Structures are given as structure tokens and as C-alpha cells.
Amino acid sequence: MSVRSSQLRTAGVFILGYSLGVVTLSLFTAFNDVSELSLPPSSSSSLRAAPNNKYDHRRLLSVMDYTDPSTVSEKDMLVTDDGSPPQQELIQQEMPQPQLQMPLPQLEGEQQAAIVRHVHVGNMCRCASGILPTIGPIVTEEARDTQIVQPPSLATGMHAKHFIQHPSSTGCSCMKDTNKRTPYASTTTDLFLKKMKLHECPHVFPAKYEWENMPDLGVEETLPLFVGVQSYESPLSLNGTLHNWLDHDFFRRINARDVFVQLNHRSPMDDRIMSDFQVHMANMQRQSPITVLGDPSSNLHPGRTISDMCRRAESHPDSHPNGENLLMFLEKDWNLYNGASDVPSDGASLERLFRGMNALAQRGVPYIRLKRKSKEVSKSKTWPCPSQGFPFECTTAHQHRWTNQPMVVSCKWFLRYLEPFALLDDPIMYGCRSGFQENRYCDWEEALQDGRIAWANSQWVVANVISGNHRVFFHQEVDQ
């Protein structure tokens, strides 16, 4: 083996290392809406006038270690003695890799080599088995710096996460469960977990936290929520639903970041209704962003619609930086209830419902139905799964079928597990109802029930709103 061949291999290693460094540096600097952030010193224990809950992309310097190309001379670029390119051989040398500096609070200025975002969390609320934990929304004006900065990773995203804790407006309450028919509070048979009590171990060193005010680090206070509506040749039903929601100030109350409206077989009447509705919203000073989708030839099935809307959410300015967006999806003819015992008219109950779903989606429940469980589901296969004081009833995908009724889904979960099936355009996926085969239309709901889509043998957790005083939507079809 010649000296020149060895030199050339070394030059190749240096060039590849340089390329990796430049590419990775580009990835870490390609974020917009960023500003300088100096993390507070470790001695700081509280913050005032905390920023709001919109996603707070804060950028510091991204410093990568890479090989300087000036160290590669022209003679290192020569070919082998016989003029041919060097043979590819296994190089027993570790290639230099870009190294991201670990973001630690005590670092300052250029030493803080990471992109950092604030993650706003509240307090945990825990109660003994069979007692319903209830906690109010956070107080954004008061905050504590936890001094916890989680480094970036493939699992948690390319931002470092700086956790900011806010107190609850009402504190934590443990309420006795009085609903005997369908208990609201969860129970456990684990002898250790059911003893839930104060941690009373004497501290050798002074503790910053008490058991009652531990931060709920696994639950971001507000994941971005998007609303998705699908309509097929039903402009009157769509019009009635939108005005019903506006009457309840629905979009503002649930903090919808955008409202996607998919118009299959879009018509001039659809356009007129959407235009008139947006003018009406402006006149009522209840403006909300609305994105109208579809064209006269479009006919997306629900799976493709959810897929498209989740991807639009990812590219939205208010998207979660890691794609942890929520989508409330429903068809065009679901109206909010108006009864005295229904969620919308019960003060802050609608807000409590969506706060509960926000936390539930971050605690292992990717699919939340805004209806009571299907009557075929055995009570023995369900369990209470309250969240933030709002009662839900949970089961698994193996026990409860997918329906196209109103739902909130985790976009990250849907894109990971169900979008590939939504993209499967094959006659095996077409429905059996009249016109489905001829129009190459996938019966998404049926495919999830008969085994063409991996649902029945999955163990994803499915949550349902408990019936009774927590009804949300009713079906109101106008177009016939």
C-alpha cells in the first residue's frame, strides 16, 4: 500500500467529517422566529411576568466540532502510484463526528451551544386511590425556574427544553367520587401505589420543592390544538355547524390555532358560505384563522384528510417544534349541545374538558373520543382515567373500534402509525358501499374495523368522554 494511498484515505476522512459538520450546523441554525437567550444563573429561584404559552423558540449559538479543510493539502489529494483511484478498504479509524455541546444553566454566552425553548408546566395533583384529583389552570404571571434543562435528543427533539413551573390558579383538590354507576376516579390494586401520601423522609440537605408542589414535568401546559372539519356536498350542514360553534365562541374557548375545512367536491355554494361566515365572524369580533381546502375534484377519505391536516399543522407557525400537535377532527354536521347540563353552558367545563385532553394526550392516550363509549364495549374492559379533574373512561383499541365521530388525535401518533395505511391506494382498501369501488374511495372506518388496518390487535389506549352531564356534540344533518 503506497504512502499516497494512505494520505488520500486520510483526506477523505477529513472531507467527510467536514461535510457532516456543515450539514449538521445547517440543521441546527435553520430555525426562524428565534432570539438570544441567556439562561438564568443557578441561584435564581423564581421568574416574574413569564412569557405566554405560545411556543418559545430561543436560539443560542450552535457550535459544532468539525475538521478544518485548510489542514488538507494538495498533495493529500493525489491518486495512487499507477494513476488509478484508490481501492475502497475498511478504514480502521473512528471518523470525527459533530459534537453538540450540552446545555447547562451555568454556561454563558457562546458557551451555551444549544437551541433552547421554554416548556411551561404546572404542578402535579395526586390523590389516594378512588379519589378524584382536580387542579385548575396555571397562573402565567407567576413562574419558577426549575433549573432543569434537558439536552436535545432524537427522542425529545432538536431543542433543549428549559422547564418553567407555574402554580395552579386553584391548587390541587382531592374530591370524593360520588358517581357510583360510572366512577370518575381511578383505583389501583397495587399495595404501594394505593397508599399515595406525603413524602416525609427527613432531608439532610435543604430541598427546593415540597411534595405538594412538585412540577408536572411530563405535561406541557398547552399543546397546539387544531380543528379539522370534513364536508362532502353538504354546504347547509356545514353552515349550520359553523354558526353553532360561533354562538358558543368555540374556537376562542379551546384556543384553536387554526381551523382546517376540507371541502370534497368543492362547490361555489361552499365558497360563498365560507366567505360569508368569515365576514360574520369579523363583524362579531370573533375572528379565528380558517384555512379552506379542497377543489371540485377532491374526495379525500377521513384518513387522508387527517394525514393532510396533521402535516399542515406541522408547517403552521404555531406548530409544536417536535410535531406534538393535537387535531380535533369531525365531520361537518356535529353541533354543540345547548342543554343546561351540557358541557358548553357549564361555565368553564368546556375549557376543563380540553385541558384534560391536553394532559391525557401526553400521558399515553393518543385517541380521545368526544362521545361516550360504544354500547358493545363491556364495562369490565374499561377503567376510569380522569385528567386534570375531568372524568374520562379508557379502554384499548382491541376493545373499542375506531369511529369517525368527533375525536381528538395526537398528530405525532397518527403520522407514525396510521398515515402509511391512509396512503395505501389499492383496490383492497376501497369500500363496498355504492359508488366506492367505482370512485376508488377508501372506507376508512370500515378498514379499521375489519383488519385491513392494524387496529384490532393493537393496544393503544382509547379514551371516551363519560356520558351523563358531559355531552359535547350532537348530530345535525341539514342537507339530504
Side-chain angles (χ1 to χ4, degrees), residues 369 372-378 400-401 403 405 464:
R369 301 179 68 253
R372 63 183 180 182
K373 70 180 181 184
S374 299
K375 60 183 180 181
E376 297 86 1
V377 180
S378 170
H400 200 298
R401 66 182 183 275
T403 73
Q405 293 179 339
N464 302 274

Side-chain angles (χ1 to χ4, degrees), residues 276-297:
D276 291 347
F277 176 71
Q278 292 181 75
V279 170
H280 184 58
M281 276 202 309
N283 292 338
M284 294 183 66
Q285 297 184 338
R286 290 184 177 178
Q287 195 66 28
S288 178
I290 293 183
T291 302
V292 182
L293 310 169
D295 56 55
S297 63

Side-chain angles (χ1 to χ4, degrees), residues 46-53 120-121 137-145 164-169 221:
S46 65
L47 299 174
R48 305 297 296 180
N52 62 26
N53 287 334
H120 301 276
V121 300
I138 66 170
V139 179
T140 57
E141 294 79 12
E142 299 181 22
R144 167 193 285 181
D145 178 15
I164 307 297
Q165 182 184 5
H166 301 265
S168 166
S169 59
E221 180 61 21

